[in-house]
Amino acid sequence: MARKRKTSGRTPRRTLWLRTLIAIAACGVAAGGLTAYRTLSDDATERPVTMEEASRLALSRLNLYQASPVAVTLTAAEGGGVVVRVRAVVDYRTHRAVGSYQVTGAFGPAKSSGATGQLDHGLIVWDTGGLGLAPAPKGDNSPPWRQAEHIPRSGWSARSYTTDPLDAGLQLLIELGADRPDNPLLLAQSGARWLERDRIDGRSYDRFAGPRAEGATPGAGPDGGRSPLTYWVDGDGGLRRVTMRMPGLGTPTTVEFSGRDRRAKLPEAPWVTG
């Protein structure tokens, strides 16, 4: 999106943390092929990744790129019981995404009872530079990517990214796919770790902690110097889920990948100039 508005109130420390995190997620260099799927993980002991596991983790970004457009669901806790959920499709070839968003939380008398309701909803588009929001057309039940095509560029409220959980999640998400795999040796040397084996929707996934942030000391801090990013990767290098822990928040931002959406066609209208 062009015509981004500058936002104030950025905290330098959190901004530096986010930029470092995005740089770690986006470091991609050519690597070798994928070896046969095997694991040393029948035990439940956290440990450094094997080279085979590092190769699958390294391949996951390329797999996202090749599967584009990919269906995703992002859930971010904004604090105070407010939750934002984005359901969208992402095209990693153009680094553009479009979808719908819903904000839920307690308000008014519901705060005392603990009940929650919908606070806001609409359409959302984003790219590497920022995001735009627009009201959803009334009575239109077509997919969000089709609705967005009918909203002119002037109909979007565009802004640059901030460091709040939603924006950090969107910014990370748009950078996850790449046209080449990461270097598995560098991933292993940078502190990527195997955590556990999980099952999601009947399929087996290895859960990995990503590379440590530059300058992080192994064993230091509340998470033992571990990366704030966690990845769920299958035996073919397919990425199913990513979580990101934000400083000061107990609930991580979560991204769920549902595979290629063959029907989706990202609109040009939000980005068209002139």
Side-chain angles (χ1 to χ4, degrees):
M1 295 287 290
R3 198 171 53 84
K4 306 294 191 305
R5 295 195 300 272
K6 295 290 184 181
T7 55
S8 59
R10 287 177 181 258
T11 304
R13 185 177 179 183
R14 289 191 68 182
T15 300
L16 178 61
W17 175 88
L18 178 59
R19 287 176 179 171
T20 302
L21 183 59
I22 296 296
I24 292 171
C27 62
V29 290
L34 177 67
T35 59
Y37 177 41
R38 63 181 181 81
T39 182
L40 304 177
S41 55
D42 288 338
D43 56 39
T45 303
E46 178 184 330
R47 55 169 173 73
V49 294
T50 66
M51 282 306 300
E52 184 275 327
E53 291 164 347
S55 294
R56 283 191 283 122
L57 183 58
L59 192 63
S60 62
R61 300 183 66 217
L62 175 62
N63 283 339
L64 278 182
Y65 179 91
Q66 293 178 334
S68 295
V70 180
V72 301
T73 300
L74 181 150
T75 304
E78 294 283 336
V82 175
V83 175
V84 184
R85 181 167 285 107
V86 175
R87 292 182 173 88
V89 289
V90 181
D91 187 342
Y92 285 106
R93 290 179 169 83
T94 61
H95 290 283
R96 292 176 176 179
V98 59
S100 62
Y101 72 91
Q102 182 181 54
V103 184
T104 58
F107 60 97
K111 286 186 177 180
S112 58
S113 66
T116 61
Q118 180 172 280
L119 303 178
D120 192 17
H121 72 285
L123 300 178
I124 183 170
V125 294
W126 73 99
D127 56 23
T128 56
L131 61 98
L133 304 176
K138 292 183 178 180
D140 189 343
N141 295 321
S142 62
W145 50 267
R146 186 168 292 159
Q147 295 180 35
E149 188 63 62
H150 302 294
I151 298 176
R153 188 179 176 204
S154 60
W156 296 91
S157 175
R159 63 173 173 80
S160 302
Y161 288 117
T162 70
T163 55
D164 70 23
L166 172 64
D167 288 21
L170 294 174
Q171 194 174 5
L172 172 68
L173 175 55
I174 203 69
E175 298 284 2
L176 278 176
D179 61 358
R180 63 190 67 188
D182 290 322
N183 186 319
L185 181 59
L186 291 181
L187 287 178
Q189 292 175 342
S190 300
R193 297 182 66 81
W194 180 89
L195 303 177
E196 197 170 0
R197 178 71 64 80
D198 293 329
R199 292 189 70 81
I200 303 174
D201 296 333
R203 187 175 177 88
S204 184
Y205 295 86
D206 286 307
R207 177 157 40 107
F208 299 108
R212 291 188 299 268
E214 185 177 353
T217 302
D223 295 312
R226 184 190 298 167
S227 166
L229 295 176
T230 304
Y231 303 83
W232 280 255
V233 180
D234 67 17
D236 298 318
L239 190 59
R240 177 62 173 80
R241 176 185 295 164
V242 177
T243 61
M244 176 174 61
R245 298 188 308 279
M246 297 287 291
L249 290 178
T251 303
T253 296
T254 301
V255 177
E256 302 275 356
F257 295 94
S258 304
R260 179 177 175 84
D261 187 341
R262 298 182 181 277
R263 305 172 305 152
K265 180 181 179 182
L266 267 70
E268 292 292 334
W271 287 277
V272 168
T273 59

